[in-house]
Amino acid sequence: MSTTVEFSGGSAMIPASRDIVQGFVARLAEAGVKTADTFLDAARLVASELVTNALRHAPGPCRLVLTLVEDAVEIAVSDTGEAFPTFLPSDPLRVGRHGLEIVTRLCDEVITKPHATGKTVSARLPLR
């Protein structure tokens, strides 16, 4: 099971990504896939953070792909930026720029892969 959405840009894609995740998780439930009570909120947050990074750091459109993979959902965002995300060390005094820190804490795996027109950041969020 998967869902793919193309965004042309603009800040409206951030809340839209959360709505898309909510619909996808509802489809999982209809198919009998069990998730943790916190899964929906965590998935919405991860997608929102990845889409926000694409909006802030890459010109042009981006793509959100949600895929059920074994005991996790892969949340992948492709954008036109060539620079890989910068994982900053934890700093409770820093204001902002905690998105990837949050994503890496919630997900089992976060991988960035380059492609011909930019990169894809994929994060695997466990169902339970």
Side-chain angles (χ1 to χ4, degrees), residues 37-78:
D37 292 341
T38 59
F39 181 80
L40 175 59
D41 289 336
R44 286 169 46 103
L45 179 58
V46 169
S48 178
E49 290 295 339
L50 294 179
V51 169
T52 297
N53 284 348
L55 177 64
R56 288 187 178 161
H57 302 292
C62 76
R63 174 186 305 122
L64 170 65
V65 180
L66 307 169
T67 308
L68 177 63
V69 181
E70 298 169 5
D71 59 349
V73 168
E74 182 175 274
I75 302 167
V77 175
S78 300

Side-chain angles (χ1 to χ4, degrees), residues 16 27-28 31 36 54-55 65 78 80 84 100 102-103 119-120 124:
R27 285 181 43 218
L28 291 177
L55 177 64
V65 180
S78 300
T80 59
F84 275 38
L100 287 175
I102 292 167
V103 170
K119 67 180 171 309
T120 300
R124 284 205 179 187

Side-chain angles (χ1 to χ4, degrees), residues 1 24-36 39 67-73 125-128:
M1 181 179 304
F24 183 75
V25 173
R27 285 181 43 218
L28 291 177
E30 290 169 4
V33 176
K34 303 288 184 199
T35 62
F39 181 80
T67 308
L68 177 63
V69 181
E70 298 169 5
D71 59 349
V73 168
L125 181 64
L127 294 170
R128 300 201 148 259

